[in-house]
Amino acid sequence: MRFIHKLLLAVVIILLSFAWTNPVFAESNGDRIFTNNCSSCHLGGGNILIANKTLHKEALSQYLDNYNTDSIQAIIHQVKNGKGAMPAFKNKLNEEEILEVAAYVFQKSEQGW
């Protein structure tokens, strides 16, 4: 009986440690930052204010300067400085958070949201 309890405890510990380290179970910082700061306008990669200026790869390529040569830097510039209806986040997010959300947007745009 003790063996079963020890085995069950070991399985629970392994599953819990897996849940905290596996990206399927853990929310990334970029995802969290996006959800807290960007999703009200860009839910699902869309744009509630200007329908054609989405976060889909084709739109980013068309509307962000230098996206085709340096995608991450182009997204970082947009996040930091804003443009039009989009506010600048350089005073709200730190450099690491901006990089993380830019990487998240790039990854999601590559995957088709």
Side-chain angles (χ1 to χ4, degrees):
M1 188 63 120
R2 283 186 175 183
F3 174 76
I4 293 174
H5 284 128
K6 287 181 182 180
L7 180 61
L8 184 59
L9 179 61
V11 169
V12 168
I13 290 170
I14 290 169
L15 289 175
L16 287 175
S17 66
F18 181 75
W20 280 306
T21 59
N22 188 318
V24 172
F25 294 104
E27 185 180 81
S28 74
N29 272 344
D31 183 15
R32 179 187 53 78
I33 296 163
F34 182 87
T35 298
N36 292 340
N37 296 280
C38 313
S39 65
S40 60
C41 291
H42 293 291
L43 187 62
N47 187 326
I48 65 166
L49 299 174
I50 305 170
N52 58 328
K53 291 190 176 181
T54 68
L55 300 181
H56 295 272
K57 184 177 181 177
E58 298 77 22
L60 293 174
S61 179
Q62 182 178 357
Y63 294 111
L64 290 187
D65 293 336
N66 303 318
Y67 184 82
N68 295 321
T69 55
D70 195 349
S71 304
I72 297 291
Q73 277 305 121
I75 296 169
I76 287 171
H77 179 80
Q78 181 74 15
V79 172
K80 279 184 175 181
N81 301 298
K83 187 175 184 180
M86 181 175 164
F89 284 87
K90 62 185 170 191
N91 295 324
K92 184 171 183 180
L93 301 175
N94 65 41
E95 292 290 325
E96 184 178 335
E97 291 169 323
I98 291 171
L99 177 59
E100 288 174 353
V101 78
Y104 174 79
V105 168
F106 175 75
Q107 178 185 22
K108 295 297 280 185
S109 70
E110 289 291 311
Q111 296 171 346
W113 285 91

